[in-house]
Amino acid sequence: MGVGQTQDPPGGGRAVAVWCIGVAVYFVAVIFRTSLGVAGLEAADRFHVNASALSAFSLLQLLVYAGMQVPVGLLVDRLGTKKVLTLGAVLFTAGQLGFALSPSYEMALAARALLGCGDAMTFISVLRLGTRWFPARRGPLVAQLAGLVGMAGNLVSTLVLAPVLHGVGWTAAFAGSAVAGLVVLVPLVLFLRDHPEGHEPAPAPAERTGGAGFVRRQIRESWSEPGTRLGLWVHFTTQFPAMVFLLLWGMPFLIEAQGLTRTTAGGLLTLVVASNMALGLVYGQIIGRRQSSRIPLALGTVGLTALLWGAVLAHPGGHAPMWLLTTLCLVLGGCGPASMIGFDFARPANPAERQGTASGITNMGGFIASMTTLLTVGVLLDATGDDYRIAFSTVFVLEALGVSQILRLRRRALAREAARGRATLPAQAPVEAPAQAPVQASGPGTERRPRSTA
């Protein structure tokens, strides 16, 4: 077994309670992250900015979030989940409050950067919490449930914060929502634990935990695993179409290019979120039962997304029928659950002491693709006089790049994962049946070795 590898956690009621505390923090972070999406017009009026300056809020948040992933993963591996999650909650609460009270565009931009910094600390921490409290076989479902909670936070922004904002005004709405950060901070500080009693990771040797050498080693060893790189490219290829659609360009595309009303377009965006939540449960159950379904699910989602995008963009007359737009939004809902499959490759490829770093590397993929697409679509729209067919062709280019990397890495990653599973199986047998006499392995690929008394 690798360093820090322990007996599989038992799960159970206490694991659910602790995990719910961590997920509640992530839920609030997503509400804060997506709150600007329902306040775009109000923000433009309040800070007297145009559309380009307004879009900088979203781009800055993505930039901060993506840039923080590896540092956050290193912090989680070094300091533990509770400390990083607590710091994240403090930062995103301060950012939301600062956004409520900012008198200028520059201060509001700084507040959103602070919020993005805190937000970046939540998801990887929740993933690490799941791996430390639940058995490995529950990993895919637990990760998908975490993503589902994030989508629920997105719905709260749309369905709750929007009417509150229109009813009580900017400062009261955003300052009031910041209270939610304080509410989740209390149980986080009082009750959250990094791992169950008796399942503490073995301490790493002192020479492996110090300074810049630790950072370089964590990144190098995580990146050297094909499973980590495969996870990054799965996340890269699957997540960005839906994120770009929801975060910035979906509403303009549906209104300007497809001729829909704002209400109808908003309903389609909500459909993407609802589909994401439903498919998250389905994907988690499928992968939990059949690990071999990971690559087919990821590539199938990419292929179906590309097919529907192509059908909408190529439809004669430029205006696709409602049934086709609805189908596209339902399929886009699968992008989020499919992106979670990336973590199901990175997780078994790395020992416990590298889980945070590996998750951070994986999580960068989708956000890099999203930032690239957000910027490229905007540039192409300006260059072509708002030709969405040309602008959205960026989606196919990035999907083709990602698929080529997935196909290149999948065999090495899966072979290494299978070999690791075979290597750890004999060591797990005494844990599963401690009262029995040692069982001698037999069959192909096994060999007898003298027992160690160490």
Side-chain angles (χ1 to χ4, degrees), residues 422-443:
R422 289 193 298 269
T424 59
L425 186 59
Q428 291 174 353
V431 173
E432 294 172 352
Q436 298 178 3
V439 179
Q440 291 184 346
S442 62

Side-chain angles (χ1 to χ4, degrees), residues 26-28 30-32 34 148-158:
Y26 175 55
F27 175 74
V28 173
V30 173
I31 294 176
F32 291 0
T34 57
L148 187 151
V149 170
M151 283 293 103
N154 198 329
L155 276 182
V156 168
S157 291
T158 303

Side-chain angles (χ1 to χ4, degrees), residues 127 136-144 227 230-231 234 283-284 287-288 291 294 297 337-349 359 362 414 417:
L127 287 180
R137 68 181 183 277
R138 299 294 186 192
L141 181 59
V142 170
Q144 291 287 354
L230 178 60
V234 168
Y283 278 43
I287 296 169
Q291 289 284 292
R294 290 173 296 175
L297 270 178
S339 71
M340 300 298 296
I341 297 172
F343 299 102
D344 293 323
F345 288 113
R347 188 186 306 114
S359 295
T362 300
L414 293 176
E417 183 178 301

